[in-house]
């Protein structure tokens, strides 16, 4: 089958991308990923008569499109893919109440988005593609999701098995590979990713390289409150997270973005996450925000660091 990247191969390094894809193909069939693969493959495959990505919940499928046995299989598959961190989804009448009420973030960023119609878009750290599905309501030409976790890719496949958007593509690649996609993207979303990376400025530079001149970046990151440009580098865990590196102040995040080459860098939202937005649910039944903060002082993490804020920035690559 023809590679969907073929029409774009002018700037991009398709050989390098294919080498990485070949390496990572094996990740889909590692022992740990096999239950996720089975969760998708046990389900029928067809385009549902109901696909609606314009509301808070990604809604796919009507009850009567599945037999009773297929509903049982679907419920089992939804459970096998736990945890559903991003959502909500509504599949054939069954609600996946995810850990994050992701529509709240979408509501914060959507008034600041450029027109997505006909655009080539990257969603870095796309997880189960909740936001990619939301983008389809704006009729983009192509949205490529980047996330190195097979579990989340299988969750995307489960939903897209019935939604069947062929302008949504999922690559098991990371933020560190964006520079191979030179000058491809009109719009890049990088949300909830930067603090998971040990070299955030290199990531931002790679993103800059992946964008067309005039392209727009939507950058969202956890950070810390405070005046001035500095970043917290936790000694060990931060809010119980292990795989984290730098938590910038807003000024610092603005500064990183400018130093990576972006222009018109502007912060449009600073929020403190609440337990309305992030909480344990049936579909994400483990620890959540309330377990990560000091029970006596929610302005601190359990480790005693300043509690995180979420900073949203938009920026442009100069034409
Ligand atoms: C905190 S979640 C953010 C999800 C979503 N973008 C959002 O804003 O709600 C971080 C995501 O980044 C993914 N991730 C981890 N390492 C990554 C990397 N090197 N490149 C891109 N994504 C990565 C994780 O698998 C996870 O889905």
């Amino acid at each position: 089958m023809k590679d969907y990247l073929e029409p774009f191969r002018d700037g991009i390094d398709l050989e390098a991308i294919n080498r990485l894809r070949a390496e990572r193909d094996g990740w889909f069939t590692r022992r740990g990923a096999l239950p996720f693969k089975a969760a998708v493959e046990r389900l029928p495959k067809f385009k549902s008569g109901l696909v609606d990505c314009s509301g808070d919940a990604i809604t796919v499928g009507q009850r009567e499109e599945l037999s009773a046995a297929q509903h049982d299989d679907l419920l089992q598959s939804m459970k096998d893919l736990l945890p559903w961190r991003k959502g909500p989804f509504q599949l054939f009448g069954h609600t996946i109440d995810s850990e994050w009420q992701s529509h709240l973030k979408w509501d914060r960023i959507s008034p600041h988005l450029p027109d997505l119609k006909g655009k080539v878009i990257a969603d870095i750290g796309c997880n189960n593609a909740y936001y990619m599905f939301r983008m389809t309501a704006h009729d983009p030409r192509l949205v490529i999701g980047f996330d190195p976790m097979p579990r989340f890719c299988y969750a995307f496949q489960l939903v897209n098995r019935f939604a069947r958007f062929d302008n949504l593509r999922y690559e098991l690649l990371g933020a560190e590979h964006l520079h191979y996609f030179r000058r491809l993207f009109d719009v890049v979303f990088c949300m909830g990713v930067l603090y998971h990376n040990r070299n955030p400025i290199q990531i931002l530079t790679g993103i800059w390289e992946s964008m067309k001149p005039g392209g727009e970046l939507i950058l969202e990151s956890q950070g810390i409150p405070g005046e001035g440009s500095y970043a917290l580098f936790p000694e060990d865990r931060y809010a119980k997270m292990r795989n984290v590196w730098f938590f910038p102040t807003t000024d610092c995040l603005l500064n990183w973005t400018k130093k990576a080459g972006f222009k018109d860098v502007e912060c449009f939202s600073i929020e403190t996450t609440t337990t309305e937005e992030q909480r344990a649910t049936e579909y994400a039944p483990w620890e959540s925000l309330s377990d990560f903060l000091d029970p006596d002082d929610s302005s601190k993490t359990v480790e005693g660091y300043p509690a995180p804020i979420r900073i949203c920035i938009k920026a442009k690559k100069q034409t």
Side-chain angles (χ1 to χ4, degrees), residues 9-266:
R9 65 171 307 155
D10 258 7
I12 66 178
D13 188 345
L14 200 51
E15 284 70 36
I17 294 167
N18 279 333
R19 268 197 307 278
L20 285 160
R21 283 168 160 173
E23 271 168 41
R24 295 191 173 197
D25 261 357
W27 295 13
F28 284 110
T29 46
R30 280 181 179 167
R31 188 137 37 110
L34 290 179
F36 312 137
K37 183 172 187 286
V40 175
E41 290 179 355
R42 76 164 67 94
L43 298 174
K45 195 173 181 179
F46 61 90
K47 177 162 171 48
S48 166
L50 174 62
V51 179
D52 182 359
C53 299
S54 62
D56 292 351
I58 304 300
T59 302
V60 179
Q62 302 167 88
R63 272 188 184 271
E64 58 275 16
E65 290 177 303
L66 296 184
S67 68
Q70 288 171 334
H71 274 286
D72 290 346
D73 282 347
L74 175 65
L75 287 170
Q76 185 59 51
S77 295
M78 282 155 51
K79 290 280 177 192
D80 289 348
L81 284 161
L82 243 60
W84 289 77
R85 296 214 180 276
K86 313 299 164 182
F89 292 87
Q90 177 84 21
L91 302 182
F92 297 92
H94 304 287
T95 301
I96 297 177
D97 184 13
S98 50
E99 177 188 10
W100 284 86
Q101 298 274 71
S102 305
H103 56 93
L104 297 176
K105 190 193 286 193
W106 186 252
D107 290 346
R108 280 197 293 275
I109 61 172
S110 51
H112 303 276
L113 295 181
D115 185 5
L116 301 182
K117 188 173 167 58
K119 298 288 169 62
V120 180
I121 301 172
D123 184 6
I124 306 170
C126 62
N127 199 270
N128 59 23
Y130 172 85
Y131 296 111
M132 293 166 65
F133 287 114
R134 292 297 304 257
M135 289 172 210
T136 62
H138 300 267
D139 201 15
R141 178 175 178 192
L142 172 68
V143 186
I144 308 178
F146 293 85
D147 202 300
M149 301 293 283
R151 177 200 302 260
F152 302 139
C153 183
Y154 280 121
F156 158 71
Q157 288 180 19
L158 186 151
V159 179
N160 209 35
R161 201 170 176 87
F162 306 105
R164 306 203 81 74
F165 287 110
D166 61 9
N167 58 346
L168 299 188
R169 302 293 174 146
Y170 202 114
E171 298 283 355
L172 216 55
L173 305 178
E176 61 280 14
H177 302 126
L178 261 284
H179 61 280
Y180 293 127
F181 294 76
R182 199 166 163 270
R183 288 181 172 231
L184 176 59
F185 297 112
D186 299 292
V187 184
V188 175
F189 292 80
C190 179
M191 306 192 296
V193 167
L194 224 49
Y195 50 91
H196 286 302
N197 209 283
R198 70 180 72 193
N199 200 335
I201 300 169
Q202 197 172 342
I203 294 299
L204 287 168
T205 308
I207 291 173
W208 187 91
E209 286 174 31
S210 78
M211 290 169 60
K212 288 180 190 154
E216 300 202 28
L217 168 67
I218 300 291
L219 176 65
E220 192 254 13
S221 181
Q222 285 195 32
I224 53 167
E227 301 293 318
S229 178
Y230 57 91
L232 170 73
F233 185 67
E235 194 178 338
D236 185 21
R237 295 186 185 204
Y238 176 83
K240 294 198 182 172
M241 290 185 285
R242 248 186 301 236
N243 55 342
V244 291
W245 301 85
F246 297 98
F247 290 86
T249 60
T250 302
D251 282 346
C252 181
L253 189 60
L254 290 165
N255 227 339
W256 286 350
T257 311
K258 286 178 199 158
K259 288 203 170 156
F262 288 94
K263 303 289 175 217
D264 300 338
V265 183
E266 185 191 321

